[in-house]
Amino acid sequence: MTETVCYRHPDRPAGVRCQRCDRPICPACMNSAAVGFQCPSCFNEGVRSIPRTRTSMGGVQRGNVQVVSMTMLALNVLVFIAVRSGSPRLLNDLVLVPVLVDSEPWRLLTSAFTHVQIFHIFSNLFMLWQLGPMLEQILGRLRFTVLYLLSALGGGVAVWILGAPGSATLGASGAVLGLVGALLVISKARGLDVTWIVGYVAITAVLSFIVPNISWEGHLGGFVTGAAVAWLFLQDTKRRQNKVRL
């Protein structure tokens, strides 16, 4: 009598058959399902067919809602340590100098992960720590990542267009203001109290113009970009909801 072997591992005897495709599988290929065991192919196909739970803003809901926020925070800290460890060339390659953007466009984004002063990085990362997980939970990982990076890029583009050609700008303020702008739009759409957000924006705007060496262009660009991205997410969410109703 010929021994039945696993269809994925011909050198191994099969213990059972897959409940979906009825092919023989060895213990290593057995995946516990609702009824019996399934082979890896059928099991993965079944997992993909399960509808994903989505957040209130249409993103895919995950268990850990701080992964992207903490990753962005860690990247800022790592760059800060690298710059502070005595690498002036690295700093010069990362900061945003509008006159150099045409030949070195990466500066539009890398400058948003670069800090020199401790108070500067602390104030930016404190707000990221406060707002990031909240928005990541609302939007989902992918949409939050898009929001953060586009806000950072929007701040950089605003400095490139509006800033003095020879000026140098750095810091995550544009990205953080983008989170503030997004939270304002989302909270307003949900009918929530936005008093503290408006107050924060007003104070930041005043400080941007009266305190030297603060980039109002980066703040403005990041805030507007973040608000615009959040508005687009809201429109997409409404479209999805209307499609479900139909």
Side-chain angles (χ1 to χ4, degrees):
M1 182 176 180
T2 304
E3 184 180 31
T4 303
V5 297
C6 175
Y7 84 92
R8 299 180 77 247
H9 302 101
D11 59 329
R12 302 178 188 178
V16 297
R17 288 183 175 274
C18 173
Q19 291 296 311
R20 294 189 66 178
C21 66
D22 198 40
R23 289 180 291 185
I25 51 178
C26 65
C29 295
M30 293 164 56
N31 292 273
S32 180
V35 179
F37 296 95
Q38 296 179 1
C39 67
S41 298
C42 291
F43 182 79
N44 292 334
E45 183 180 344
V47 170
R48 287 193 295 268
S49 65
I50 298 175
R52 291 184 175 182
T53 303
R54 293 192 173 272
T55 68
S56 58
M57 288 286 291
V60 178
Q61 193 171 45
R62 308 286 185 180
N64 189 336
V65 297
Q66 298 183 350
V67 172
V68 178
S69 300
M70 295 302 104
T71 299
M72 296 303 176
L73 191 150
L75 287 174
N76 278 277
V77 172
L78 289 174
V79 174
F80 176 74
I81 293 174
V83 170
R84 295 276 293 190
S85 65
S87 181
R89 181 174 181 178
L90 175 63
L91 177 63
N92 292 334
D93 288 341
L94 297 179
V95 297
L96 174 55
V97 182
V99 73
L100 297 177
V101 170
D102 288 339
S103 59
E104 301 175 357
W106 64 81
R107 293 174 180 270
L108 292 172
L109 191 59
T110 57
S111 59
F113 292 90
T114 311
H115 300 80
V116 174
Q117 299 175 335
I118 293 180
F119 176 77
H120 189 201
I121 189 173
F122 174 80
S123 59
N124 283 335
L125 297 193
F126 177 77
M127 288 303 297
L128 172 57
W129 180 62
Q130 290 290 314
L131 302 180
M134 181 196 315
L135 283 167
E136 189 173 343
Q137 182 177 17
I138 295 173
L139 298 173
R141 291 179 189 173
L142 178 59
R143 292 191 174 202
F144 178 75
T145 302
V146 171
L147 169 65
Y148 189 90
L149 295 180
L150 285 184
S151 296
L153 186 61
V157 170
V159 173
W160 177 34
I161 296 174
L162 303 174
S167 62
T169 305
L170 70 165
S173 302
V176 171
L177 264 295
L179 302 186
V180 175
L183 186 61
L184 175 61
V185 170
I186 294 171
S187 299
K188 190 68 176 177
R190 294 181 171 182
L192 303 177
D193 183 18
V194 297
T195 303
W196 79 266
I197 305 177
V198 174
Y200 177 84
V201 172
I203 293 173
T204 302
V206 172
L207 293 177
S208 298
F209 286 100
I210 67 174
V211 177
N213 300 321
I214 292 184
S215 175
W216 65 266
E217 301 92 343
H219 288 180
L220 177 63
F223 179 80
V224 172
T225 301
V229 171
W231 183 83
L232 291 175
F233 286 159
L234 282 170
Q235 301 311 305
D236 181 65
T237 300
K238 291 179 181 178
R239 180 187 63 80
R240 288 175 180 269
Q241 292 173 345
N242 292 333
K243 186 176 180 180
V244 170
R245 293 191 186 100
L246 294 176

